[in-house]
Amino acid sequence: MSGFSATFDRLLAELEKMPGIGRKTAQRLAFHLLRVSEPEVQALAVAMVDCRRNIRACSRCFSITEQDPCGICADPRRDDSLLCVVEQPSDVLAFERSGEYRGRYHVLDGVISPLEGIGPEDLRIRELLERLRDGTVREVILGTNPDLEGEATCMYLSKLIKPLGVRVTRIARGLPVGGDLEYADQVTLARALEGRRDV
């Protein structure tokens, strides 16, 4: 309870539900919303509702999009022989910021995590293997986070993909162990892509 009002407390409670937002950050955001003009707050609210209503998963790569297929999947200039497998759509944005990668993507929607009850059947692995069947993809780049779950997922995927005759590489260790791709700088991501290796 903030002690200000029930309305303010309700706003704090909603803000705190967001990932990475604790009590103090929620308070800063709430006070910011009180300081800006009502049209600015309404614009934020409309953008949030529009985002929730209009954005969905691409039927090919499973990243986020308003059109299906997404802009990356529909771009004929992308290299169909390269497929970068990532955990979340936010990782696609991180690789795109690097400006170094011109292939396609596949979003798993998570990683194998027995402690959280997430197994291979909960990820988009079946769809990944289906994409590899026609022989277009020559290299799969495993771009999961360099943490325990990301590494376990890479090992699992490597064992499934290698028998298909597709080269499997892992992004280089330019990223901090336990870090998230979403927060990596452009140079680090670019070097990680350049230094990828066979798994």
Side-chain angles (χ1 to χ4, degrees):
M1 297 288 290
S2 69
F4 288 111
S5 74
T7 302
F8 189 80
D9 286 342
R10 195 169 73 242
L11 176 59
L12 288 179
E14 292 303 318
L15 290 170
E16 284 183 69
K17 290 178 184 176
M18 301 174 82
I21 304 292
R23 187 75 175 172
K24 287 185 179 184
T25 302
Q27 287 175 349
R28 282 195 298 273
L29 290 170
F31 280 116
H32 172 75
L33 292 172
L34 291 174
R35 283 192 302 271
V36 299
S37 69
E38 188 169 331
E40 288 178 274
V41 174
Q42 287 176 345
L44 174 62
V46 168
M48 291 169 65
V49 170
D50 284 349
C51 186
R52 186 66 187 96
R53 282 185 186 153
N54 300 326
I55 292 183
R56 59 189 180 277
C58 173
S59 62
R60 291 187 191 167
C61 72
F62 304 101
S63 188
I64 58 172
T65 185
E66 283 188 70
Q67 61 189 29
D68 194 20
C70 71
I72 293 173
C73 287
D75 186 348
R77 297 168 298 178
R78 305 294 292 219
D79 185 350
D80 290 330
S81 69
L82 281 176
L83 186 65
C84 184
V85 177
V86 296
E87 295 177 22
Q88 301 293 343
S90 57
D91 300 330
V92 172
L93 297 175
F95 276 109
E96 287 299 291
R97 273 196 322 264
S98 78
E100 294 293 318
Y101 182 68
R102 297 300 304 157
R104 306 286 183 186
Y105 293 96
H106 185 85
V107 178
L108 293 172
D109 276 337
V111 286
I112 298 169
S113 179
L115 292 176
E116 294 181 27
I118 301 171
E121 65 282 352
D122 299 310
L123 306 178
R124 297 196 180 272
I125 295 173
R126 182 177 43 82
E127 294 90 340
L128 170 62
L129 296 175
E130 190 62 38
R131 291 182 75 179
L132 301 178
R133 295 211 193 286
D134 71 1
T136 303
V137 176
R138 292 193 317 267
E139 179 182 354
V140 171
I141 302 166
L142 300 174
T144 58
N145 287 317
D147 54 20
L148 189 60
E149 292 84 4
E151 292 297 326
T153 303
C154 281
M155 294 305 295
Y156 181 83
L157 291 175
S158 177
K159 288 178 183 175
L160 292 178
I161 297 169
K162 279 185 176 180
L164 302 175
V166 177
R167 181 181 181 211
V168 180
T169 58
R170 177 80 168 112
I171 56 174
R173 294 283 186 174
L175 299 167
V177 173
D180 286 327
L181 290 172
E182 182 177 356
Y183 303 112
D185 64 279
Q186 295 160 332
V187 173
T188 301
L189 265 179
R191 287 183 180 157
L193 272 171
E194 289 169 2
R196 66 184 183 272
R197 58 179 169 76
D198 288 307
V199 178

